[in-house]
């Protein structure tokens, strides 16, 4: 957005349940679903994913498979509370640290667990999360808890675990466009089935100021931009909107009002030391794909989906 | 049927979006102090498919 300096540093993180839909897979679908999971990891490698919290559903194909996926991945798998049932050994690192240009970000992962997931046990998530956070809190500027949990456990985590700045939920059901605060923690819920990607922009200047949600200000800025851009369509090159609409009093008033509103909101955001906003991006046909990743997905895509896709294109 | 196909394609779309984000980081390395962006994925549920 013009007027608001935008960061170019983008870090992909996954909060869990990327690989499978359920905590179990039917034997006759096992190979196909595993290939799909492999495609997701390969794609995440291309996308330079930074960290993946291992959700309960990610364990559906068993211990050997998830460890094989971890080896394939060029990014860390984390979980502070997933254990090998046969040895009680914790299987993944409890956290990962990402260094941005000038920030150190800590990501801790927990999952609720499910008795249908074989070969694994899960230690108590509140205790596991707190232990991991305590280990990193002095080394990082912000703590993100990647929580593959239900609503009840989410509430328990925010109430009982100290030191979480953002709780990023998977297994959340629906998208929450305007993130809510719970016990001083900001909850980010992006929904399910990969319908949305959440763009979470964060400005973190000092460790004391409260993190403010500026989503409404960004929405107003975007609205003003869209209106101004729509009016600018088709006008002569080099001409300002004011020059083009010189004889139209109402239109000139509208332009002034939109510009003023935009500036007010930009100034307000700039004055805040710590702020964030969430922009959910619907992953529809307007989003262009990347050839390298398209090839990976095409190779792994199940045959019946290829057929459906072909039929779909024929229908257009 | 159309809806099902569309949903199945979402993963790739996400991939595309993020790949663009990552690319911009390498080709245009301008940063604002104390600012960063997370591209958050959650509960993809094993969805993979072609771009719409």
């Amino acid at each position: 957005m013009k007027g608001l300096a935008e960061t170019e540093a983008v870090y992909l993180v996954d909060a869990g349940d990327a690989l499978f839909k359920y905590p179990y897979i039917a034997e006759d679908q096992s190979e196909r679903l595993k290939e799909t999971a492999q495609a997701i990891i390969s794609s995440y490698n291309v996308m330079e994913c930074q960290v993946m919290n291992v959700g309960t559903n990610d364990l559906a194909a068993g211990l050997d498979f998830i460890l094989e996926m971890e080896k394939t991945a060029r990014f860390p798998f984390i979980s502070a509370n997933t254990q090998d049932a046969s040895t009680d050994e914790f299987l993944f690192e409890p956290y990962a640290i990402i260094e941005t240009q000038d920030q150190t970000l800590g990501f801790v992962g927990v999952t609720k667990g499910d008795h249908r997931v074989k070969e694994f046990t899960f230690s108590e998530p509140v205790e596991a999360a707190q232990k991991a956070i305590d280990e990193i809190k002095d080394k990082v500027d912000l703590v993100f808890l990647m929580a593959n949990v239900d609503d009840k456990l989410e509430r328990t985590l925010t109430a009982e675990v100290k030191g979480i700045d953002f709780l990023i939920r998977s297994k959340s059901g629906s998208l929450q466009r305007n993130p809510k605060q719970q016990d001083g923690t900001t909850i980010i819920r992006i929904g399910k089935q990969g319908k949305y990607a959440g763009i979470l922009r964060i400005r973190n200047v000092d460790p004391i100021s409260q993190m403010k949600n500026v989503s409404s200000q960004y929405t107003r800025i975007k609205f003003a931009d869209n209106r101004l851009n729509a009016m600018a369509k088709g006008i002569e090159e080099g001409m300002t909107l004011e020059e083009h609409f010189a004889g139209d009093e109402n239109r000139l008033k509208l332009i002034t009002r939109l510009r003023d509103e935009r500036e007010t909101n930009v100034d307000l955001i700039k004055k805040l030391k710590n702020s964030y906003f969430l922009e959910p991006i619907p992953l529809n046909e307007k989003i262009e794909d990347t050839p390298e990743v398209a090839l990976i997905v095409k190779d792994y895509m199940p045959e019946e989906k290829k057929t459906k896709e072909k039929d779909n294109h024929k229908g257009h | 049927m159309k809806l099902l196909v569309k949903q199945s394609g979402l993963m790739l779309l996400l991939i595309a979006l993020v790949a663009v984000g990552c690319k911009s980081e390498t080709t245009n390395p301008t940063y604002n102090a104390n600012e960063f962006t997370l591209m958050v994925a959650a509960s993809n549920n094993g969805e993979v498919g072609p771009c719409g």
Side-chain angles (χ1 to χ4, degrees), chain A residues 73-90:
Chain A
R74 294 200 291 263
F75 51 90
F77 284 15
I78 58 167
S79 176
N81 71 323
T82 302
Q83 295 167 280
D84 180 339
S86 63
T87 63
D88 282 346
E89 180 193 353
F90 285 94

Side-chain angles (χ1 to χ4, degrees), chain A residues 21 129 142 169 220 239 299:
Chain A
K21 193 173 183 179
L142 288 170
R169 264 288 297 276
R220 295 306 303 169
M239 194 177 242
D299 280 351

Side-chain angles (χ1 to χ4, degrees), chain A residues 25-262:
Chain A
I25 53 179
E27 193 57 44
D28 62 338
Q29 294 182 346
S30 174
E31 282 315 303
R32 182 174 66 79
L33 293 178
K34 283 179 180 177
E35 283 182 4
T36 304
Q38 176 64 71
I40 292 168
I41 296 295
S42 301
S43 303
Y44 270 12
N45 281 341
V46 174
M47 293 151 65
E48 298 177 27
C49 180
Q50 299 295 310
V51 60
M52 186 181 99
N53 178 38
V54 181
T56 303
N57 293 356
D58 295 320
L59 305 169
L63 180 61
D64 289 346
F65 183 75
I66 194 67
L67 295 179
E68 191 188 318
M69 289 302 97
E70 190 186 23
K71 278 183 196 157
T72 314
R74 294 200 291 263
F75 51 90
F77 284 15
I78 58 167
S79 176
N81 71 323
T82 302
Q83 295 167 280
D84 180 339
S86 63
T87 63
D88 282 346
E89 180 193 353
F90 285 94
L91 289 163
F92 308 100
E93 290 296 326
Y95 59 82
I97 290 176
I98 297 175
E99 300 279 352
T100 75
Q101 191 75 352
D102 49 20
Q103 300 269 310
T104 305
L105 313 177
F107 291 82
V108 171
V110 287
T111 190
K112 182 172 187 290
D114 189 297
H115 69 277
R116 290 170 293 182
V117 176
K118 307 297 177 196
E119 303 176 277
F120 305 93
T121 51
F122 304 91
S123 69
E124 210 286 306
V126 170
E127 197 181 307
Q130 190 65 68
K131 187 175 174 230
I133 290 170
D134 288 347
E135 276 180 47
I136 61 168
K137 67 182 179 191
D138 295 333
K139 304 175 204 163
V140 301
D141 297 302
L142 288 170
V143 171
F144 297 83
L145 179 63
M146 316 276 269
N148 181 248
V149 299
D150 58 19
D151 291 355
K152 190 180 168 197
L153 185 50
E154 174 193 289
R155 283 193 296 275
T156 308
L157 284 165
T158 56
E160 295 182 18
V161 179
K162 304 296 170 215
I164 315 169
D165 293 298
F166 288 87
L167 184 148
I168 301 179
R169 264 288 297 276
S170 52
K171 224 186 266 302
S172 67
S174 58
L175 164 74
Q176 197 156 38
R177 289 181 180 276
N178 198 14
K180 64 171 181 176
Q181 288 271 327
Q182 212 165 260
D183 303 307
T185 297
T186 304
I187 314 280
I188 304 295
R189 295 178 178 182
I190 304 299
K192 60 185 176 181
Q193 293 176 313
K195 288 181 181 175
Y196 290 88
I199 310 290
L200 180 61
R201 290 180 200 260
I202 296 173
R203 175 174 150 89
N204 184 45
V205 172
D206 74 43
I208 300 156
S209 304
Q210 202 187 343
M211 193 59 77
K212 296 273 189 189
N213 182 356
V214 291
S215 299
S216 62
Q217 282 76 22
Y218 268 97
T219 303
R220 295 306 303 169
I221 292 164
K222 208 171 174 181
F223 173 78
D225 281 348
N226 288 343
R227 292 291 304 270
L228 291 167
N229 287 338
M231 281 191 273
K233 266 184 191 165
I235 73 170
E236 203 177 306
E237 204 178 322
M239 194 177 242
T240 64
L241 281 172
E242 284 80 355
E243 287 165 350
H244 182 77
F245 292 107
D248 187 336
E249 195 67 28
N250 287 338
R251 196 61 73 100
L252 287 174
K253 275 184 190 167
L254 175 63
I255 292 164
T256 304
R257 186 170 63 75
L258 289 169
R259 289 202 202 284
D260 287 349
E261 186 178 20
R262 190 183 193 291

Side-chain angles (χ1 to χ4, degrees), chain B residues 16-48:
Chain B
L17 186 66
V18 178
V20 170
C22 292
K23 197 176 174 188
S24 70
E25 188 184 353
T26 52
T27 54
N28 185 15
T30 55
Y31 299 93
N32 295 316
N34 306 307
E35 291 183 15
F36 60 93
T37 300
L38 295 184
M39 179 78 71
V40 180
S43 301
N44 175 66
N45 300 128
E47 295 286 350
V48 173

